[in-house]
Amino acid sequence: MAPKPQKPGDTTTSTVPVVTSTTVPPPPPTTVPAAPVAISPEVAAALAAAAQFGFGVSDGTTAALGVAGRAQLDATGRIMPGTYTGQTKVIGSNELRPQYFEGDEYDITTFDAETIIGLQKSLQKGGYFLGSTYSPGIVRDSTVAAYKRALEDANQSFITFDQAIERSLKFPYSGGATSLKKYRVTAAADLESVFDKVSQNVLGRSLDTEQLNKLVKTYQGTELGSLQSQAGVSAQAPSAQAFGETRIEQTNQDESDAYKFAQYAQVFEKLLGQ
């Protein structure tokens, strides 16, 4: 263990040995401390950059997840004052730093089963599993990877893990082109065509632009939610036609009933005229 450094004002006492021999001891060796090696500003900048990105670092610092930054952490995992170097974000008078560092992704292995299940569901809904499956309450590689993605996502926006999870419910984590392809929904133009035909059959008219756009977005959200269902298993969303019929009738119930009655009346009149 390294000796405890002295504090300002500390004193050191020593005992002078009593000489009982006539032999004069040799003088203690004198060691001249080596002069510090001067380095150029360019070399200093290169070393700082290497430390920031984790190359050749052996100073006890830990890399931040998802961003370029390092810091010394205390026993509780908090950044020790004055040790962080790397990316930050300034909002007003506040300078934000990443909160999660290498190794934090394994914290999920220490949680109880109920907490793990809750986190797995939230991570799945937020898109962090990227289609991988998981065993509820059991932590395996897929769960650790999903948890790490969420921590990285939080760091990259300089927000908390909980804030990243909440945001992902509205704007799911994509993780790149592969995920976007997996979660591709029906094109808006195709849905508009289907819903217009349904509206003609249900109401006898076309929907206005605002109603049509709202219906398209609602159905695409339903599709996305089905693709990101629990345990990575894609549930089947209702067909656009069935979805359109139900929603258009619900939001225009009186008009729908009146149109149906008018159609029945026309059929009845034709029967009477035969």
Side-chain angles (χ1 to χ4, degrees), residues 94-188:
N94 297 322
E95 183 180 36
L96 305 180
R97 300 174 181 175
Q99 302 183 42
Y100 309 105
F101 290 78
E102 286 185 355
D104 287 347
E105 66 269 29
Y106 296 105
D107 287 349
I108 195 172
T109 64
T110 66
F111 302 156
D112 60 77
E114 184 177 354
T115 301
I116 292 171
I117 292 173
L119 283 172
Q120 287 173 324
K121 290 181 178 179
S122 296
L123 292 167
Q124 182 63 47
K125 291 178 180 178
Y128 293 105
F129 273 94
L130 297 181
S132 299
T133 60
Y134 66 84
S135 300
I138 301 175
V139 177
R140 294 196 172 101
D141 289 346
S142 62
T143 296
V144 173
Y147 188 55
K148 183 177 181 180
R149 292 187 192 104
L151 296 177
E152 291 175 339
D153 194 25
N155 270 358
Q156 289 165 356
S157 295
F158 295 91
I159 58 180
T160 65
F161 171 81
D162 290 339
Q163 290 172 326
I165 289 295
E166 183 178 356
R167 180 181 64 181
S168 70
L169 298 179
K170 296 181 180 179
F171 306 100
Y173 178 80
S174 63
T178 301
S179 177
L180 291 176
K181 182 177 180 181
K182 176 179 178 60
Y183 296 137
R184 185 169 53 202
V185 295
T186 305

Coordinates of all heavy atoms in Angstrom, one line a residue, residues 94-188:
N94 N -25.0 25.5 -17.4 CA -24.7 24.1 -17.0 C -23.9 23.4 -18.0 O -24.2 23.4 -19.2 CB -26.0 23.4 -16.7 CG -26.8 24.0 -15.5 OD1 -26.2 24.5 -14.5 ND2 -28.1 24.0 -15.6
E95 N -22.9 22.7 -17.6 CA -22.1 21.9 -18.5 C -22.4 20.4 -18.1 O -22.1 19.9 -17.0 CB -20.6 22.1 -18.3 CG -19.7 21.3 -19.2 CD -18.2 21.5 -19.1 OE1 -17.8 21.7 -17.9 OE2 -17.5 21.5 -20.1
L96 N -23.0 19.7 -19.1 CA -23.5 18.3 -18.8 C -22.4 17.4 -19.2 O -21.7 17.6 -20.2 CB -24.8 18.1 -19.6 CG -25.9 19.0 -19.4 CD1 -27.1 18.6 -20.2 CD2 -26.3 19.1 -17.9
R97 N -22.3 16.3 -18.5 CA -21.3 15.2 -18.8 C -22.0 13.9 -18.9 O -23.1 13.7 -18.3 CB -20.2 15.2 -17.7 CG -19.4 16.5 -17.5 CD -18.5 16.4 -16.3 NE -17.8 17.6 -16.1 CZ -17.0 17.9 -15.1 NH1 -16.8 16.9 -14.1 NH2 -16.4 19.0 -14.9
P98 N -21.4 12.9 -19.5 CA -22.0 11.6 -19.6 C -22.1 11.0 -18.2 O -21.2 11.3 -17.4 CB -21.1 10.8 -20.5 CG -19.8 11.6 -20.5 CD -20.1 13.0 -20.3
Q99 N -23.1 10.2 -18.0 CA -23.2 9.6 -16.6 C -22.9 8.1 -16.5 O -22.9 7.6 -15.4 CB -24.7 9.8 -16.2 CG -25.1 11.3 -16.2 CD -26.6 11.4 -15.7 OE1 -27.0 10.8 -14.7 NE2 -27.3 12.3 -16.3
Y100 N -22.7 7.5 -17.7 CA -22.5 6.0 -17.7 C -21.2 5.6 -18.3 O -20.9 6.2 -19.4 CB -23.7 5.4 -18.4 CG -25.1 5.8 -17.8 CD1 -25.8 6.7 -18.5 CD2 -25.5 5.5 -16.5 CE1 -27.0 7.2 -18.0 CE2 -26.7 6.0 -16.0 CZ -27.4 6.8 -16.8 OH -28.6 7.3 -16.2
F101 N -20.5 4.7 -17.7 CA -19.2 4.3 -18.1 C -19.0 2.8 -18.3 O -19.9 2.1 -17.9 CB -18.1 4.8 -17.1 CG -18.0 6.3 -17.0 CD1 -19.0 7.1 -16.4 CD2 -17.0 7.0 -17.7 CE1 -18.9 8.5 -16.4 CE2 -16.8 8.3 -17.7 CZ -17.8 9.1 -17.0
E102 N -18.0 2.4 -18.9 CA -17.7 1.0 -19.2 C -17.9 0.2 -17.9 O -17.4 0.5 -16.9 CB -16.4 0.8 -19.8 CG -16.2 1.3 -21.2 CD -14.8 0.9 -21.8 OE1 -14.0 0.4 -21.0 OE2 -14.6 1.1 -23.0
G103 N -18.7 -0.9 -18.1 CA -18.9 -1.8 -16.9 C -20.3 -1.5 -16.3 O -20.9 -2.4 -15.7
D104 N -20.9 -0.3 -16.5 CA -22.2 -0.1 -16.0 C -23.3 -1.0 -16.6 O -24.3 -1.2 -16.0 CB -22.6 1.4 -16.2 CG -21.8 2.4 -15.3 OD1 -21.2 1.9 -14.3 OD2 -21.8 3.6 -15.6
E105 N -23.0 -1.4 -17.8 CA -24.0 -2.3 -18.5 C -24.2 -3.6 -17.7 O -25.3 -4.3 -17.9 CB -23.6 -2.6 -19.9 CG -22.4 -3.4 -20.1 CD -21.1 -2.6 -20.2 OE1 -21.1 -1.5 -19.7 OE2 -20.2 -3.0 -20.9
Y106 N -23.3 -4.0 -16.9 CA -23.4 -5.3 -16.2 C -24.1 -5.1 -14.8 O -24.4 -6.1 -14.1 CB -22.0 -5.9 -15.9 CG -21.3 -6.3 -17.2 CD1 -20.3 -5.5 -17.7 CD2 -21.8 -7.4 -18.0 CE1 -19.7 -5.8 -18.9 CE2 -21.2 -7.7 -19.2 CZ -20.1 -6.9 -19.6 OH -19.5 -7.3 -20.8
D107 N -24.5 -3.8 -14.5 CA -25.2 -3.6 -13.3 C -26.6 -4.4 -13.3 O -27.1 -4.8 -12.2 CB -25.5 -2.1 -13.1 CG -24.2 -1.4 -12.7 OD1 -23.2 -2.0 -12.3 OD2 -24.3 -0.1 -12.7
I108 N -27.1 -4.5 -14.5 CA -28.4 -5.2 -14.6 C -28.4 -6.6 -14.1 O -29.4 -7.2 -13.6 CB -28.9 -5.2 -16.0 CG1 -30.4 -5.5 -16.1 CG2 -28.1 -6.1 -16.9 CD1 -31.1 -5.3 -17.5
T109 N -27.2 -7.2 -14.0 CA -27.1 -8.6 -13.5 C -27.3 -8.7 -12.0 O -27.5 -9.8 -11.5 CB -25.7 -9.2 -13.9 OG1 -24.7 -8.5 -13.2 CG2 -25.5 -9.2 -15.4
T110 N -27.2 -7.6 -11.4 CA -27.3 -7.6 -9.9 C -28.7 -7.2 -9.4 O -29.0 -7.3 -8.2 CB -26.4 -6.5 -9.3 OG1 -26.8 -5.2 -9.7 CG2 -24.9 -6.7 -9.7
F111 N -29.6 -6.9 -10.4 CA -31.0 -6.6 -10.0 C -31.8 -7.8 -9.7 O -31.5 -8.9 -10.2 CB -31.7 -5.7 -11.1 CG -30.9 -4.5 -11.5 CD1 -31.1 -3.9 -12.7 CD2 -30.1 -3.9 -10.6 CE1 -30.4 -2.7 -13.1 CE2 -29.4 -2.7 -10.9 CZ -29.6 -2.1 -12.1
D112 N -32.9 -7.6 -9.0 CA -33.8 -8.8 -8.7 C -34.6 -9.1 -9.9 O -34.7 -8.2 -10.9 CB -34.7 -8.5 -7.5 CG -35.6 -7.2 -7.7 OD1 -36.6 -7.4 -8.5 OD2 -35.3 -6.2 -7.2
A113 N -35.2 -10.3 -10.0 CA -35.9 -10.7 -11.2 C -37.1 -9.8 -11.6 O -37.3 -9.6 -12.8 CB -36.5 -12.1 -10.9
E114 N -37.8 -9.3 -10.6 CA -38.9 -8.4 -11.0 C -38.5 -7.1 -11.7 O -39.1 -6.7 -12.7 CB -39.7 -8.1 -9.7 CG -41.0 -7.3 -10.0 CD -41.8 -7.0 -8.7 OE1 -41.4 -7.6 -7.6 OE2 -42.8 -6.2 -8.8
T115 N -37.4 -6.6 -11.1 CA -36.8 -5.4 -11.8 C -36.3 -5.7 -13.1 O -36.5 -4.9 -14.1 CB -35.7 -4.8 -10.9 OG1 -36.2 -4.5 -9.6 CG2 -35.1 -3.5 -11.5
I116 N -35.6 -6.8 -13.3 CA -35.1 -7.2 -14.6 C -36.2 -7.3 -15.6 O -36.1 -6.8 -16.8 CB -34.3 -8.5 -14.5 CG1 -33.0 -8.3 -13.7 CG2 -33.9 -9.0 -15.9 CD1 -32.3 -9.5 -13.3
I117 N -37.3 -8.0 -15.2 CA -38.4 -8.1 -16.2 C -39.0 -6.8 -16.6 O -39.3 -6.6 -17.8 CB -39.5 -9.0 -15.5 CG1 -39.0 -10.4 -15.3 CG2 -40.8 -9.0 -16.4 CD1 -40.0 -11.3 -14.6
G118 N -39.1 -5.9 -15.6 CA -39.6 -4.5 -16.0 C -38.7 -3.8 -16.9 O -39.1 -3.2 -17.9
L119 N -37.4 -3.9 -16.7 CA -36.4 -3.3 -17.6 C -36.4 -3.9 -19.0 O -36.3 -3.2 -20.0 CB -35.0 -3.4 -17.0 CG -34.7 -2.4 -15.9 CD1 -33.4 -2.7 -15.2 CD2 -34.7 -1.0 -16.4
Q120 N -36.5 -5.2 -19.0 CA -36.6 -5.9 -20.3 C -37.7 -5.5 -21.1 O -37.6 -5.3 -22.4 CB -36.6 -7.5 -20.1 CG -35.3 -8.0 -19.6 CD -35.4 -9.5 -19.2 OE1 -36.4 -9.9 -18.7 NE2 -34.3 -10.3 -19.5
K121 N -38.9 -5.3 -20.5 CA -40.1 -4.9 -21.2 C -39.9 -3.5 -21.8 O -40.2 -3.2 -22.9 CB -41.3 -5.0 -20.3 CG -41.8 -6.4 -20.0 CD -43.0 -6.3 -19.1 CE -43.5 -7.7 -18.8 NZ -44.7 -7.7 -17.9
S122 N -39.3 -2.6 -20.9 CA -39.1 -1.2 -21.4 C -38.1 -1.1 -22.5 O -38.3 -0.4 -23.4 CB -38.6 -0.4 -20.2 OG -39.6 -0.3 -19.2
L123 N -37.0 -1.9 -22.4 CA -36.0 -1.9 -23.4 C -36.6 -2.5 -24.7 O -36.2 -2.0 -25.8 CB -34.8 -2.8 -23.0 CG -34.0 -2.2 -21.8 CD1 -33.0 -3.3 -21.2 CD2 -33.2 -1.0 -22.2
Q124 N -37.4 -3.5 -24.6 CA -38.0 -4.1 -25.8 C -39.0 -3.0 -26.5 O -38.9 -2.8 -27.7 CB -38.8 -5.3 -25.5 CG -39.4 -6.0 -26.7 CD -38.4 -6.5 -27.6 OE1 -37.4 -7.1 -27.2 NE2 -38.6 -6.2 -28.9
K125 N -39.8 -2.4 -25.7 CA -40.7 -1.4 -26.3 C -40.0 -0.3 -26.9 O -40.5 0.3 -27.9 CB -41.7 -0.9 -25.2 CG -42.7 -1.9 -24.7 CD -43.6 -1.4 -23.6 CE -44.6 -2.4 -23.1 NZ -45.4 -1.9 -22.0
G126 N -38.8 0.1 -26.3 CA -38.1 1.2 -26.8 C -37.2 0.8 -28.0 O -36.5 1.7 -28.6
G127 N -37.2 -0.4 -28.4 CA -36.4 -0.8 -29.6 C -35.0 -1.2 -29.4 O -34.2 -1.5 -30.3
Y128 N -34.6 -1.3 -28.1 CA -33.1 -1.5 -27.8 C -32.7 -3.0 -28.0 O -31.5 -3.2 -28.1 CB -32.8 -1.1 -26.4 CG -32.9 0.4 -26.1 CD1 -34.0 1.0 -25.5 CD2 -32.0 1.3 -26.7 CE1 -34.1 2.3 -25.3 CE2 -32.1 2.6 -26.5 CZ -33.1 3.2 -25.8 OH -33.2 4.5 -25.6
F129 N -33.6 -3.9 -28.1 CA -33.2 -5.3 -28.4 C -33.0 -5.5 -29.8 O -32.4 -6.5 -30.2 CB -34.3 -6.2 -27.9 CG -34.2 -6.6 -26.4 CD1 -34.9 -5.9 -25.4 CD2 -33.4 -7.7 -26.1 CE1 -34.8 -6.3 -24.1 CE2 -33.3 -8.1 -24.7 CZ -33.9 -7.4 -23.7
L130 N -33.4 -4.6 -30.7 CA -33.2 -4.7 -32.1 C -33.6 -6.1 -32.7 O -33.0 -6.7 -33.5 CB -31.7 -4.5 -32.5 CG -31.1 -3.1 -32.1 CD1 -29.7 -3.0 -32.5 CD2 -31.9 -2.0 -32.8
G131 N -34.8 -6.5 -32.2 CA -35.3 -7.8 -32.7 C -34.8 -9.0 -32.0 O -35.3 -10.1 -32.2
S132 N -33.8 -8.9 -31.1 CA -33.3 -10.1 -30.3 C -34.4 -10.5 -29.3 O -35.2 -9.7 -28.8 CB -32.0 -9.8 -29.6 OG -31.0 -9.4 -30.6
T133 N -34.3 -11.8 -29.0 CA -35.3 -12.3 -27.9 C -34.6 -12.3 -26.6 O -33.4 -12.1 -26.5 CB -35.7 -13.8 -28.3 OG1 -34.5 -14.6 -28.3 CG2 -36.4 -13.8 -29.6
Y134 N -35.4 -12.5 -25.5 CA -34.9 -12.5 -24.2 C -35.7 -13.5 -23.3 O -36.9 -13.7 -23.7 CB -34.8 -11.2 -23.5 CG -36.1 -10.5 -23.3 CD1 -36.9 -10.8 -22.1 CD2 -36.7 -9.6 -24.2 CE1 -38.1 -10.2 -21.9 CE2 -37.9 -9.0 -23.9 CZ -38.6 -9.3 -22.8 OH -39.8 -8.7 -22.6
S135 N -35.2 -13.9 -22.2 CA -35.9 -14.8 -21.3 C -36.3 -13.9 -20.1 O -35.4 -13.3 -19.4 CB -35.0 -15.9 -20.8 OG -34.6 -16.8 -21.9
P136 N -37.6 -13.7 -19.8 CA -38.0 -12.8 -18.8 C -37.3 -13.1 -17.4 O -37.4 -14.2 -17.0 CB -39.5 -13.0 -18.7 CG -39.9 -13.5 -20.1 CD -38.7 -14.3 -20.6
G137 N -36.7 -12.1 -16.8 CA -36.1 -12.3 -15.5 C -34.7 -12.9 -15.5 O -34.1 -13.0 -14.5
I138 N -34.2 -13.3 -16.7 CA -32.9 -13.9 -16.8 C -32.0 -13.0 -17.7 O -32.4 -12.6 -18.8 CB -33.0 -15.3 -17.5 CG1 -33.9 -16.2 -16.6 CG2 -31.6 -15.9 -17.6 CD1 -34.1 -17.6 -17.2
V139 N -30.8 -12.7 -17.2 CA -29.9 -11.8 -17.9 C -28.9 -12.7 -18.7 O -28.2 -13.4 -18.2 CB -29.2 -10.9 -16.9 CG1 -28.2 -10.1 -17.7 CG2 -30.1 -10.0 -16.1
R140 N -29.0 -12.5 -20.0 CA -28.1 -13.1 -21.0 C -27.5 -12.0 -21.8 O -27.8 -10.8 -21.6 CB -28.8 -14.2 -21.8 CG -29.2 -15.4 -20.9 CD -29.5 -16.6 -21.8 NE -29.8 -17.8 -21.0 CZ -31.0 -18.3 -20.7 NH1 -32.0 -17.7 -21.2 NH2 -31.1 -19.4 -20.0
D141 N -26.7 -12.4 -22.8 CA -26.0 -11.4 -23.6 C -27.0 -10.4 -24.3 O -26.7 -9.2 -24.4 CB -25.2 -12.1 -24.7 CG -24.0 -12.8 -24.2 OD1 -23.6 -12.5 -23.0 OD2 -23.4 -13.6 -24.9
S142 N -28.1 -10.9 -24.8 CA -29.1 -10.0 -25.5 C -29.6 -8.9 -24.5 O -29.7 -7.7 -25.0 CB -30.2 -10.8 -26.1 OG -31.0 -11.4 -25.0
T143 N -29.8 -9.2 -23.3 CA -30.3 -8.2 -22.3 C -29.2 -7.2 -22.0 O -29.4 -6.0 -21.9 CB -30.8 -8.9 -21.0 OG1 -32.0 -9.7 -21.4 CG2 -31.2 -7.9 -20.0
V144 N -28.0 -7.7 -21.7 CA -26.9 -6.8 -21.4 C -26.6 -5.9 -22.6 O -26.4 -4.7 -22.4 CB -25.6 -7.6 -21.1 CG1 -24.4 -6.7 -21.0 CG2 -25.8 -8.4 -19.9
A145 N -26.7 -6.4 -23.8 CA -26.4 -5.6 -25.0 C -27.5 -4.5 -25.2 O -27.2 -3.4 -25.5 CB -26.4 -6.5 -26.3
A146 N -28.8 -4.9 -24.9 CA -29.9 -3.9 -25.0 C -29.7 -2.8 -23.9 O -29.9 -1.6 -24.2 CB -31.2 -4.6 -24.8
Y147 N -29.4 -3.2 -22.7 CA -29.2 -2.3 -21.6 C -28.0 -1.3 -21.9 O -28.1 -0.1 -21.7 CB -28.9 -3.0 -20.3 CG -28.9 -2.2 -19.1 CD1 -29.9 -1.4 -18.7 CD2 -27.7 -2.2 -18.2 CE1 -29.9 -0.6 -17.6 CE2 -27.7 -1.5 -17.1 CZ -28.8 -0.7 -16.7 OH -28.7 0.1 -15.6
K148 N -27.0 -1.9 -22.5 CA -25.8 -1.0 -22.9 C -26.2 0.0 -24.0 O -25.8 1.1 -23.9 CB -24.7 -1.9 -23.4 CG -23.4 -1.1 -23.7 CD -22.3 -2.0 -24.2 CE -21.0 -1.2 -24.5 NZ -19.9 -2.1 -24.9
R149 N -27.0 -0.4 -24.9 CA -27.5 0.5 -26.0 C -28.3 1.7 -25.4 O -28.1 2.8 -25.8 CB -28.3 -0.2 -27.0 CG -27.6 -1.2 -27.9 CD -28.5 -1.8 -29.0 NE -27.8 -3.0 -29.6 CZ -28.2 -4.2 -29.4 NH1 -29.2 -4.5 -28.5 NH2 -27.5 -5.2 -29.9
A150 N -29.1 1.4 -24.4 CA -29.9 2.4 -23.7 C -29.0 3.4 -23.0 O -29.2 4.6 -23.0 CB -30.9 1.8 -22.8
L151 N -27.9 2.8 -22.3 CA -27.0 3.7 -21.6 C -26.2 4.6 -22.6 O -26.0 5.8 -22.3 CB -26.0 2.9 -20.7 CG -26.6 2.0 -19.6 CD1 -25.6 1.2 -18.9 CD2 -27.3 2.9 -18.6
E152 N -25.8 4.0 -23.7 CA -25.1 4.8 -24.7 C -26.0 5.9 -25.3 O -25.6 7.0 -25.5 CB -24.6 3.9 -25.8 CG -23.5 2.9 -25.4 CD -23.1 1.9 -26.5 OE1 -23.9 1.7 -27.4 OE2 -22.0 1.4 -26.4
D153 N -27.3 5.5 -25.5 CA -28.2 6.4 -26.0 C -28.4 7.6 -25.1 O -28.5 8.8 -25.5 CB -29.6 5.7 -26.3 CG -30.5 6.5 -27.1 OD1 -30.1 7.3 -27.9 OD2 -31.8 6.3 -27.0
A154 N -28.5 7.3 -23.8 CA -28.6 8.4 -22.8 C -27.4 9.3 -22.8 O -27.5 10.5 -22.8 CB -28.8 7.8 -21.4
N155 N -26.2 8.7 -22.8 CA -25.0 9.5 -22.8 C -24.9 10.4 -24.0 O -24.4 11.5 -24.0 CB -23.7 8.6 -22.8 CG -23.3 8.3 -21.4 OD1 -23.9 8.7 -20.4 ND2 -22.3 7.5 -21.2
Q156 N -25.2 9.9 -25.2 CA -25.1 10.6 -26.4 C -26.0 11.9 -26.5 O -25.7 12.8 -27.2 CB -25.4 9.7 -27.6 CG -24.2 8.7 -27.9 CD -24.6 7.6 -28.8 OE1 -25.8 7.5 -29.2 NE2 -23.7 6.7 -29.1
S157 N -27.1 11.8 -25.7 CA -27.9 13.0 -25.6 C -27.8 13.7 -24.3 O -28.5 14.7 -24.0 CB -29.4 12.6 -25.7 OG -29.7 12.1 -27.0
F158 N -26.8 13.2 -23.4 CA -26.6 13.8 -22.1 C -27.8 13.9 -21.3 O -28.1 15.0 -20.7 CB -25.9 15.2 -22.3 CG -24.5 15.1 -22.9 CD1 -24.4 15.2 -24.3 CD2 -23.4 14.9 -22.1 CE1 -23.1 15.1 -24.9 CE2 -22.1 14.8 -22.7 CZ -22.0 14.9 -24.1
I159 N -28.6 12.8 -21.2 CA -29.8 12.7 -20.4 C -29.6 11.5 -19.5 O -28.6 10.7 -19.6 CB -31.0 12.6 -21.3 CG1 -31.0 11.4 -22.2 CG2 -31.3 13.9 -22.0 CD1 -32.2 11.2 -23.1
T160 N -30.6 11.2 -18.7 CA -30.5 10.0 -17.8 C -31.1 8.8 -18.5 O -31.7 8.9 -19.6 CB -31.3 10.3 -16.5 OG1 -32.7 10.4 -16.9 CG2 -30.9 11.5 -15.8
F161 N -30.8 7.6 -17.9 CA -31.3 6.4 -18.5 C -32.9 6.4 -18.6 O -33.5 6.1 -19.6 CB -30.9 5.2 -17.6 CG -31.5 3.9 -18.0 CD1 -31.1 3.1 -19.0 CD2 -32.6 3.4 -17.2 CE1 -31.7 1.9 -19.4 CE2 -33.2 2.2 -17.5 CZ -32.7 1.5 -18.6
D162 N -33.5 6.9 -17.5 CA -35.0 6.9 -17.4 C -35.5 7.9 -18.5 O -36.5 7.6 -19.1 CB -35.4 7.4 -16.1 CG -35.2 6.4 -15.0 OD1 -35.0 5.2 -15.3 OD2 -35.2 6.7 -13.8
Q163 N -34.8 9.0 -18.7 CA -35.3 9.9 -19.8 C -35.1 9.3 -21.2 O -36.0 9.5 -22.0 CB -34.5 11.2 -19.7 CG -34.8 12.1 -18.5 CD -33.9 13.2 -18.3 OE1 -32.7 13.2 -18.7 NE2 -34.4 14.4 -17.8
A164 N -34.1 8.5 -21.4 CA -33.9 7.8 -22.7 C -35.0 6.8 -22.9 O -35.5 6.7 -24.0 CB -32.5 7.2 -22.7
I165 N -35.3 6.0 -21.9 CA -36.4 5.0 -22.0 C -37.7 5.7 -22.3 O -38.5 5.3 -23.2 CB -36.5 4.2 -20.7 CG1 -35.3 3.3 -20.5 CG2 -37.8 3.4 -20.7 CD1 -35.2 2.2 -21.6
E166 N -38.0 6.8 -21.6 CA -39.3 7.5 -21.8 C -39.3 8.1 -23.3 O -40.4 8.0 -23.9 CB -39.4 8.7 -20.8 CG -40.7 9.4 -21.0 CD -40.9 10.5 -19.9 OE1 -40.0 10.6 -19.0 OE2 -41.9 11.3 -20.0
R167 N -38.2 8.6 -23.8 CA -38.2 9.1 -25.1 C -38.3 8.0 -26.1 O -39.0 8.2 -27.2 CB -36.8 9.8 -25.3 CG -36.7 10.4 -26.7 CD -35.3 11.1 -26.9 NE -34.2 10.2 -26.8 CZ -32.9 10.5 -26.9 NH1 -32.6 11.8 -27.0 NH2 -32.0 9.6 -26.8
S168 N -37.8 6.8 -25.9 CA -37.8 5.7 -26.8 C -39.2 5.2 -27.1 O -39.5 4.6 -28.1 CB -36.9 4.6 -26.4 OG -37.5 3.9 -25.2
L169 N -40.1 5.5 -26.1 CA -41.5 5.0 -26.3 C -42.2 5.8 -27.4 O -43.1 5.3 -28.0 CB -42.3 5.1 -25.0 CG -41.7 4.2 -23.8 CD1 -42.6 4.5 -22.6 CD2 -41.7 2.8 -24.2
K170 N -41.7 7.1 -27.6 CA -42.3 7.9 -28.7 C -41.4 7.9 -29.9 O -41.9 7.9 -31.0 CB -42.4 9.4 -28.2 CG -43.3 9.6 -27.0 CD -43.4 11.0 -26.6 CE -44.4 11.3 -25.5 NZ -44.4 12.7 -25.0
F171 N -40.1 7.8 -29.7 CA -39.2 7.7 -30.8 C -38.2 6.5 -30.6 O -37.2 6.7 -30.0 CB -38.4 9.0 -30.9 CG -39.2 10.3 -31.0 CD1 -39.4 11.0 -29.8 CD2 -39.8 10.7 -32.1 CE1 -40.2 12.2 -29.9 CE2 -40.6 11.8 -32.2 CZ -40.8 12.5 -31.1
P172 N -38.6 5.3 -31.0 CA -37.9 4.1 -30.8 C -36.4 4.2 -31.2 O -36.1 4.8 -32.3 CB -38.7 3.0 -31.5 CG -40.0 3.6 -31.6 CD -39.9 5.1 -31.8
Y173 N -35.6 3.5 -30.5 CA -34.2 3.4 -30.9 C -34.1 2.6 -32.2 O -34.6 1.5 -32.3 CB -33.4 2.7 -29.7 CG -32.0 2.5 -30.0 CD1 -31.0 3.5 -29.8 CD2 -31.5 1.2 -30.4 CE1 -29.7 3.3 -30.0 CE2 -30.1 1.0 -30.6 CZ -29.2 2.1 -30.4 OH -27.9 1.9 -30.6
S174 N -33.3 3.2 -33.1 CA -33.2 2.5 -34.4 C -32.0 1.6 -34.5 O -32.1 0.5 -35.0 CB -33.2 3.5 -35.5 OG -32.1 4.3 -35.4
G175 N -30.9 2.1 -34.0 CA -29.7 1.3 -34.1 C -29.0 1.2 -35.4 O -28.1 0.4 -35.6
G176 N -29.5 1.9 -36.4 CA -28.9 1.8 -37.7 C -29.8 1.3 -38.8 O -31.0 1.0 -38.5
A177 N -29.3 1.1 -40.0 CA -30.1 0.7 -41.2 C -30.8 -0.6 -41.0 O -31.9 -0.9 -41.4 CB -29.2 0.7 -42.4
T178 N -30.1 -1.6 -40.3 CA -30.7 -2.9 -40.1 C -32.0 -2.8 -39.4 O -33.0 -3.4 -39.8 CB -29.8 -3.9 -39.4 OG1 -28.6 -3.9 -40.1 CG2 -30.4 -5.2 -39.2
S179 N -32.0 -2.1 -38.3 CA -33.3 -1.9 -37.5 C -34.3 -1.2 -38.2 O -35.5 -1.5 -38.2 CB -32.9 -1.2 -36.2 OG -34.1 -1.0 -35.4
L180 N -34.0 -0.1 -39.0 CA -35.0 0.6 -39.7 C -35.6 -0.3 -40.7 O -36.8 -0.2 -41.0 CB -34.3 1.8 -40.4 CG -33.8 2.9 -39.5 CD1 -33.1 4.0 -40.3 CD2 -34.9 3.5 -38.7
K181 N -34.9 -1.2 -41.4 CA -35.5 -2.1 -42.3 C -36.4 -3.0 -41.7 O -37.5 -3.3 -42.2 CB -34.4 -2.8 -43.1 CG -34.9 -3.8 -44.1 CD -33.7 -4.4 -44.8 CE -34.2 -5.4 -45.9 NZ -33.1 -6.1 -46.6
K182 N -36.1 -3.5 -40.5 CA -36.9 -4.5 -39.8 C -38.3 -3.8 -39.4 O -39.3 -4.5 -39.5 CB -36.2 -5.0 -38.5 CG -37.1 -5.9 -37.7 CD -36.4 -6.4 -36.5 CE -37.3 -7.3 -35.6 NZ -37.8 -8.5 -36.3
Y183 N -38.2 -2.6 -39.0 CA -39.4 -1.9 -38.5 C -40.1 -1.0 -39.6 O -40.8 -0.1 -39.2 CB -39.1 -1.1 -37.3 CG -38.6 -1.9 -36.1 CD1 -37.5 -1.5 -35.3 CD2 -39.3 -3.1 -35.8 CE1 -37.1 -2.3 -34.3 CE2 -38.9 -3.9 -34.7 CZ -37.8 -3.4 -33.9 OH -37.4 -4.2 -32.9
R184 N -39.9 -1.3 -40.8 CA -40.5 -0.6 -41.9 C -42.0 -0.8 -41.9 O -42.5 -1.9 -41.8 CB -39.9 -1.0 -43.2 CG -40.4 -0.1 -44.4 CD -39.5 -0.4 -45.6 NE -39.5 -1.8 -45.9 CZ -38.5 -2.4 -46.7 NH1 -37.6 -1.7 -47.1 NH2 -38.6 -3.7 -46.9
V185 N -42.7 0.3 -42.0 CA -44.2 0.3 -42.0 C -44.8 0.5 -43.4 O -44.0 0.9 -44.3 CB -44.8 1.3 -41.0 CG1 -44.4 0.9 -39.5 CG2 -44.3 2.7 -41.3
T186 N -46.1 0.3 -43.5 CA -46.7 0.5 -44.8 C -46.6 2.0 -45.2 O -46.8 2.9 -44.4 CB -48.2 0.1 -44.7 OG1 -48.3 -1.2 -44.3 CG2 -48.8 0.2 -46.1
A187 N -46.3 2.2 -46.5 CA -46.2 3.6 -47.0 C -47.5 4.3 -46.9 O -48.6 3.8 -47.0 CB -45.8 3.5 -48.5
A188 N -47.3 5.6 -46.6 CA -48.5 6.5 -46.4 C -49.4 6.5 -47.6 O -50.6 6.5 -47.5 CB -48.0 7.9 -46.0

